[in-house]
């Protein structure tokens, strides 16, 4: 696996352009790219046509008014001779249509660090054999679905944190498990609706179990288990146990503080963006821990931890022993959103889905191990040939897609499997999205938690009169 940055950027393909219009920008840039042999005949006309149909401008003002705006014009790969990014600095501000005002999404994602999940999928795809441009297409495709998912989840987040109208949502990869969880949730709705009569309150369960089932105790158990497994001395085991206990206890506490701290900030960002976009309502995409204060997440994690450990010992094809990932933070937030906190459903569905996490972690273990060695992060003291991975890393389905696509670049049979898997993945997501829109319209519009919107409620509720300001423009620099 070579240097990704070395493949993405070329030393001689960075330009400063002095132009007065978008047309001049394309003409000057096209001439330079042709002279450098980076594009073929037809590139200029096709990039102009694509930009006119699907604008790529993006105003960064909702994130920070000091940030320069950006645009990512592009066209089909057949008009390029290589795969790379060409940075261009404009001397003069140029009017550029903003992709957001086209109503493709209501979400501005400010959780920039969350890109690592997509980066992992792309790099894994390359590890399995795909060229950079193929892996990039997969990442962009998944990224678009993540944004679409963030729009339909926002009313549920408003309900869970008891803040109707709050603009907070998330594009985190762990919620891409929602479609699979929704299948099981619908099964319960149709065939086992009576199960909910036996459901229980997570906060009361945690209270009844007391200290021995608390997050602090789970950290103690985990630290002792890991210490014994590593043959550490008593002092090291105690240090590890209390460190893990404090970490888990503080995680949920800080998550609750995070909600209180970020709410006025996210509301301010949304208000600012709404003013700039002529009254359009905008969501703010954050990291998922603004839900970390919900008791259901931790109650489900406490129950699922020993279940995952038992499954890992008997599951065919699994090569992982869960340690840090045993808390299942890659799964429980998605369970909470889809089931809306129904504990029995969260535990049963979680038990069914956990093996897929173990298989996905086993699948990417060679890639994780090789990457850790290359960057000097491989744990010291492990035996030669030992593999490392993560048992509940987000994006497990996407890892299987990366595996199939990477191998499909050199094997036709794998490519066929990838095509079938991608079709199933997309169809399942679109079904899930429609079910979420139905739920938003039937439950949350009536409750006043959200208003009818094409992206949030779809055709299940009549959207309000369009005052989105479509056609406003941003000036990338």
């Amino acid at each position: 696996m070579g240097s990704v940055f070395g493949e993405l950027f070329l030393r001689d393909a960075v330009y400063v352009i002095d132009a007065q219009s978008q047309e001049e920008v394309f003409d000057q840039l096209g001439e330079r790219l042709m002279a450098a042999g980076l594009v073929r005949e037809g590139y200029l006309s096709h990039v102009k046509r694509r930009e006119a149909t699907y604008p790529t401008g993006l105003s960064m003002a909702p994130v920070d008014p000091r940030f320069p705006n950006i645009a990512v014009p592009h066209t089909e790969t057949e008009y390029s001779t290589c795969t790379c990014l060409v940075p261009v600095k404009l001397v003069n501000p140029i009017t550029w249509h903003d992709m957001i005002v086209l109503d493709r999404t209501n979400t501005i994602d400010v959780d920039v660090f969350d890109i690592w999940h997509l980066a992992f999928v792309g790099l894994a795809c390359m590890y399995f054999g795909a060229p950079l441009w193929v892996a990039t297409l997969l990442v962009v495709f998944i990224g678009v679905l993540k944004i679409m998912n963030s729009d339909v989840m926002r009313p549920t987040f408003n309900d869970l944190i008891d803040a109707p109208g709050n603009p907070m949502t998330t594009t985190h990869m762990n919620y891409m498990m929602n479609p699979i969880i929704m299948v099981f949730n619908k099964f319960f709705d149709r065939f086992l609706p009576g199960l909910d009569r036996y459901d229980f309150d997570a906060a009361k369960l945690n209270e009844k179990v007391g200290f021995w089932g608390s997050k602090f105790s789970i950290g103690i158990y985990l630290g002792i288990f890991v210490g014994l497994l590593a043959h550490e001395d008593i002092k090291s085991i105690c240090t590890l146990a209390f460190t893990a206990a404090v970490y888990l206890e503080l995680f949920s506490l800080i998550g609750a503080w995070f909600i209180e701290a970020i709410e006025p900030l996210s509301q301010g960002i949304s208000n600012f963006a709404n003013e700039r976009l002529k009254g359009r309502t905008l969501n703010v995409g954050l990291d998922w821990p603004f839900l970390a204060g919900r008791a259901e997440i931790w109650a489900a994690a406490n129950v699922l931890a020993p279940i995952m450990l038992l499954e890992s010992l008997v599951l065919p094809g699994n090569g992982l022993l869960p340690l840090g990932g045993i808390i299942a933070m890659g799964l429980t937030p998605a369970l909470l959103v889809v089931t809306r906190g129904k504990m029995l459903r969260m535990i049963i569905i979680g038990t069914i889905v956990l093996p897929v996490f173990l298989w996905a972690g086993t699948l990417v273990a060679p890639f994780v191990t090789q990457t850790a060695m290359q960057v000097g992060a491989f744990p010291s003291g492990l035996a030669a040939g030992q593999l490392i991975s993560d048992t509940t890393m987000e994006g497990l389905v996407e890892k299987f897609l990366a595996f199939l696509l990477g191998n499909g670049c050199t094997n036709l049979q794998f490519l066929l499997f990838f095509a079938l898997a991608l079709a199933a993945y997309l169809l399942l997501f679109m079904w899930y999205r429609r079910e979420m829109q139905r739920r938003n319209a039937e439950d949350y519009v009536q409750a006043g938690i959200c208003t009818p919107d094409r992206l949030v409620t779809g055709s299940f509720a009549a959207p309000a009169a369009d005052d989105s300001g479509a056609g406003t423009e941003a000036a990338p620099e």
Side-chain angles (χ1 to χ4, degrees):
M1 185 172 58
S3 170
V4 174
F5 285 102
E7 297 179 28
L8 278 176
F9 299 99
L10 302 178
R11 183 180 299 274
D12 297 326
V14 179
Y15 302 110
V16 176
I17 290 183
D18 186 356
Q20 301 297 326
S21 67
Q22 185 183 113
E23 184 83 8
E24 289 185 21
V25 171
F26 284 141
D27 288 341
Q28 291 186 34
L29 182 60
E31 182 178 344
R32 296 187 188 187
L33 294 177
M34 282 291 294
L38 299 178
V39 298
R40 299 186 176 94
E41 289 292 337
Y43 169 82
L44 183 59
S45 61
H46 281 81
V47 78
K48 287 182 178 179
R49 185 181 309 158
R50 186 178 181 89
E51 188 67 27
T53 307
Y54 301 105
T56 63
L58 182 61
S59 171
M60 301 302 292
V63 180
D64 190 321
R66 297 168 296 178
F67 286 1
N69 301 324
I70 62 174
V72 196
H74 57 282
T75 187
E76 289 73 16
T77 56
E78 62 187 275
Y79 299 105
S80 302
T81 61
C82 68
T83 301
C84 65
L85 298 178
V86 179
V88 176
K89 166 67 178 176
L90 300 182
V91 175
N92 307 305
I94 301 294
T95 298
W96 217 282
H97 285 280
D98 194 321
M99 69 173 74
I100 293 180
V101 302
L102 297 180
D103 290 339
R104 305 291 175 85
T105 178
N106 287 334
T107 300
I108 287 288
D109 188 9
V110 299
D111 181 19
V112 294
F113 296 106
D114 186 38
I115 193 67
W116 85 267
H117 295 103
L118 286 173
F120 183 95
V121 172
L123 291 171
C125 188
M126 294 172 63
Y127 171 83
F128 291 122
L132 174 62
W133 70 270
V134 172
T136 301
L137 290 178
L138 177 64
V139 166
V140 170
F141 172 76
I142 296 171
V144 170
L145 297 190
K146 284 189 5 172
I147 291 287
M148 294 170 65
N149 191 28
S150 69
D151 289 327
V152 296
M153 287 192 296
R154 200 207 72 179
T156 301
F157 291 134
N158 291 163
D159 181 27
L160 291 173
I161 65 175
D162 193 23
N166 189 288
M168 289 191 293
T169 185
T170 181
T171 62
H172 203 278
M173 184 75 92
N174 56 13
Y175 295 105
M176 292 305 288
M177 275 298 297
N178 288 10
I180 293 177
I181 296 172
M182 181 67 82
V183 171
F184 293 105
N185 198 55
K186 287 295 180 181
F187 176 87
F188 283 114
D189 285 343
R190 181 161 185 176
F191 298 105
L192 296 171
L195 183 68
D196 294 337
R197 294 199 302 267
Y198 305 99
D199 209 35
F200 50 89
D201 183 86
K204 291 181 179 178
L205 173 67
N206 291 342
E207 187 177 317
K208 287 182 180 180
V209 174
F211 173 78
W212 302 108
S214 66
K215 295 177 284 295
F216 191 89
S217 294
I218 292 294
I220 293 286
Y221 307 149
L222 182 61
I224 293 175
F225 175 72
V226 174
L228 290 174
L229 196 66
H231 303 290
E232 297 287 346
D233 56 43
I234 296 297
K235 180 181 177 181
S236 298
I237 291 175
C238 291
T239 300
L240 182 60
F242 279 99
T243 301
V246 172
Y247 170 80
L248 291 183
E249 191 67 36
L250 287 179
F251 188 85
S252 63
L253 185 61
I254 292 173
W257 293 345
F258 184 73
I259 297 176
E260 298 179 12
I262 205 69
E263 195 282 331
L265 178 61
S266 61
Q267 190 66 61
I269 293 173
S270 181
N271 292 341
F272 178 81
N274 296 342
E275 292 174 4
R276 292 291 299 270
L277 296 176
K278 299 183 178 180
R280 181 171 175 194
T281 301
L282 207 61
N283 306 328
V284 179
L286 304 170
D287 202 353
W288 80 263
F290 67 81
L291 283 182
R294 291 287 303 200
E296 296 92 342
I297 287 181
W298 298 101
N302 290 345
V303 176
L304 291 174
I307 293 175
M308 174 184 281
L309 182 59
L310 291 174
E311 289 181 340
S312 70
L313 297 176
V314 300
L315 185 67
N318 171 54
L320 298 180
L321 181 66
L323 296 177
I326 201 170
I327 303 302
M329 287 298 102
L331 174 60
T332 50
L335 290 169
L336 173 66
V337 167
V338 176
T339 67
R340 291 186 279 192
K342 295 177 180 177
M343 284 301 304
L344 282 178
R345 296 192 184 200
M346 290 179 68
I347 293 170
I348 295 172
I349 297 173
T351 301
I352 296 171
V353 172
L354 279 175
V356 188
F357 278 91
L358 294 170
W359 284 323
T362 300
L363 180 71
V364 298
F367 163 64
V368 174
T369 303
Q370 176 178 305
T371 303
M373 289 180 173
Q374 289 178 339
V375 301
F378 189 79
S380 60
L382 291 183
Q386 178 69 55
L387 299 180
I388 60 172
S389 190
D390 191 330
T391 47
T392 53
M393 186 189 296
E394 298 85 346
L396 74 164
V397 177
E398 291 73 20
K399 292 178 180 61
F400 287 108
L401 290 177
F403 170 78
L404 293 174
L405 179 57
N407 284 279
C409 291
T410 55
N411 186 306
L412 186 59
Q413 185 177 13
F414 274 102
L415 187 61
L416 176 61
F417 288 150
F418 168 75
L420 295 174
L422 185 67
Y425 178 80
L426 180 59
L427 290 173
L428 182 60
F429 178 85
M430 299 310 294
W431 168 81
Y432 150 79
R433 180 171 180 259
R434 186 166 176 79
E435 289 301 314
M436 289 291 285
Q437 289 176 334
R438 186 198 307 272
R439 186 169 87 175
N440 293 340
E442 294 178 353
D443 296 348
Y444 294 137
V445 170
Q446 295 295 326
I449 292 177
C450 72
T451 57
D453 179 271
R454 180 175 59 85
L455 297 172
V456 177
T457 59
S459 60
F460 297 103
D466 183 15
D467 188 24
S468 64
T472 56
E473 297 174 339
E477 295 181 0

